[in-house]
Every structure is written in C-alpha cells, then in structure tokens.
C-alpha cells in the first residue's frame, strides 16, 4: 500500500528503500513495479533490534548496484564499519535477512532448551553466573548470551515473562522456502514449531526465548496462555 501510494508522487530517478523485513518475493514484485515508473527500489534487510540506534545496524541491501552506490552514504551513517553490504539483485536483501532470522530462531531455541535443562537439574545452578562464565571465551559465547546474563541478573526466575513466544513471519517464510527448494532445515523448522507449541503448553525454555526477544528486539511479551 505504501509503494502504491508513493509511486504517483515520485519522479524518474527517485528512489524507494524498504528498510523493513518484507517477504523477499514481494520485494521482487515491488522492484518491478517501481521499475515500470522509472523509480529505483532497494530492499534492505535490517538487523540490530532496539540497539541499532546505539551500536549501528547490520544492513543487507538488494537491488541495482548503481542505486546502492547512490544511497551508500545513508547506509554508512547507520551501520558500523563493514556492517552494510550490497548482496545481490532485487529481493536478495530481504532474502538474506529472512535466512538471518531463521538462524536466530534456532539459536534462541538452543539457548532456551539449554537453560531449561540447567534449571531442571538437581544442582540449584545460578543461571546468571553460568551465562557469564560461558561468555568468557567459550564456544557458545554470543551477544544473545550476554543478554541472557543481563536478563537472569534482573529476573532470575523470569517471572515477568510469559511462556508464549510470538513469531514475526520470517521463520515461517524460511521454512516454506526450504520446502520449495528441497533444502533440509530441521533445526529451523523445529524452532518454529516450538514457538507454536508455546502457545498451548508452558515451559521455561519459552520464557527464556520470550525474554531474549524483548531484550534484543523490544518485542513486548503480552500474550499469556
């Protein structure tokens, strides 16, 4: 709707940049629509969550290389050094971001299940201290694990988070695309199904994922069983 409303107001050589995380096939169609009006179109997948304004966004751009070059100062201002790139033809920016988010689903699921297993042990483990320990040179250290440490420090039992995990669409698109392309993606598929299961069955792992989604993306945990 936004593209259709804007096109009549634009002139030859103007540019539209979709910095949201749209479905890549829609972005391909919108690029063709804009091209028919001699308007340039870039699809730019954007990562960084609510921290992007402070730390810079990771930007994945698809579209005409000349249009990307023209808009590059904008991307350079928004991203950290080497945090933006032209990845390919129209639709590729949002495709790369879709796969990025699908990987995120799997990572969150692994952390959620791991911390749930630690919590269920007979050892009465301090999850904040373990998250901090793992962040000191371990193979599984990451920004998500750093956020886990902060989350457990502020709410050790995660009582403020419902065990209801939302999904914004990218995981579903990725699973659908994997099926269409015949690519095996069991971890991503399971992570998506686990989110659906969280809406009917409560678990601590779901609370971990809901909490982390709030910490990195500002996603509001408003749903309850």
């Amino acid at each position: 709707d936004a593209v259709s409303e804007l096109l009549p107001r634009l002139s030859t050589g103007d540019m539209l940049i979709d910095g949201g995380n749209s479905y890549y096939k829609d972005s391909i169609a919108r690029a063709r629509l804009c091209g028919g009006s001699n308007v340039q179109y870039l699809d730019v997948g954007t990562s960084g969550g609510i921290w992007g304004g402070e730390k810079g966004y990771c930007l994945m751009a698809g579209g005409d290389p000349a249009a990307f070059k023209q808009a590059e100062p904008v991307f350079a201002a928004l991203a950290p050094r080497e945090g933006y790139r032209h990845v390919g033809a129209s639709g590729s920016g949002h495709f790369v971001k879709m796969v990025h988010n699908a990987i995120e689903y799997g990572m969150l699921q692994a952390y959620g299940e791991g911390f749930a297993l630690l919590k269920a042990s007979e050892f009465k483990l301090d999850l904040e201290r373990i998250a901090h320990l793992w962040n000191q040179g371990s193979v599984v250290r990451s920004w998500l694990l750093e956020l886990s440490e902060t989350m457990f420090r502020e709410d050790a039992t995660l009582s403020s988070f419902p065990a209801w995990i939302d999904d914004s669409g990218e995981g579903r698109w990725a699973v659908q695309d994997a099926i269409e392309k015949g690519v095996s993606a069991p971890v991503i598929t399971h992570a998506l199904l686990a989110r659906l299961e969280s809406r009917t069955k409560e678990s601590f792992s779901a609370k971990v994922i809901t909490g982390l989604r709030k910490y990195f993306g500002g996603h509001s945990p408003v749903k309850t069983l």
Side-chain angles (χ1 to χ4, degrees), residues 184-222:
S184 177
V187 172
I188 294 168
T189 302
H190 170 72
L192 172 63
L193 295 179
R195 292 193 177 198
L196 301 182
E197 184 182 32
S198 77
R199 300 166 198 178
T200 60
K201 181 181 177 181
E202 185 164 326
S203 68
F204 186 75
S205 63
K207 285 177 171 286
V208 173
I209 297 169
T210 298
L212 284 174
R213 292 183 82 246
K214 179 182 179 182
Y215 272 76
F216 73 73
H219 302 287
S220 180
V222 296

Side-chain angles (χ1 to χ4, degrees), residues 2 18 26 28 35 45 54 113 120-121 134 139 175 192 195 217:
D18 181 354
D26 292 338
I28 293 172
E54 177 183 339
E113 292 177 8
S121 79
W134 285 350
V139 173
V175 170
L192 172 63
R195 292 193 177 198

Side-chain angles (χ1 to χ4, degrees), residues 26-155:
D26 292 338
S27 300
I28 293 172
R30 290 167 187 157
R32 290 174 182 154
L33 179 65
C34 289
S37 298
N38 293 314
V39 170
Q40 301 178 90
Y41 181 89
L42 293 175
D43 54 283
V44 182
T46 305
S47 184
I50 57 177
W51 299 87
E54 177 183 339
K55 299 183 179 296
Y57 297 94
C58 180
L59 304 172
M60 300 145 258
D64 182 73
F68 170 80
K69 197 68 178 176
Q70 182 181 347
E72 188 171 5
V74 175
F75 305 140
L78 291 171
R81 185 180 180 185
E82 299 186 358
Y84 69 93
R85 184 173 295 275
H86 179 259
V87 296
S90 293
S92 65
H94 286 156
F95 178 79
V96 171
K97 182 55 167 61
M98 178 189 76
V99 176
H100 164 285
N101 278 36
I103 292 170
E104 174 192 300
Y105 274 48
M107 292 175 67
L108 286 170
Q109 186 65 29
Y111 280 128
E113 292 177 8
F115 281 116
L117 186 57
L118 292 173
K119 182 177 183 296
S121 79
E122 64 270 35
F123 300 111
K124 296 183 180 180
L125 300 168
D126 185 324
L127 301 187
E128 178 204 343
R129 293 182 66 182
I130 291 173
H132 179 77
L133 172 66
W134 285 350
N135 275 315
Q136 313 311 309
S138 85
V139 173
V140 298
R141 68 187 184 276
S142 71
W143 182 47
L144 287 176
L145 194 57
E146 291 174 3
L147 293 175
S148 298
E149 182 182 343
T150 301
M151 179 175 67
F152 286 122
R153 181 168 61 250
E154 296 180 352
D155 184 355

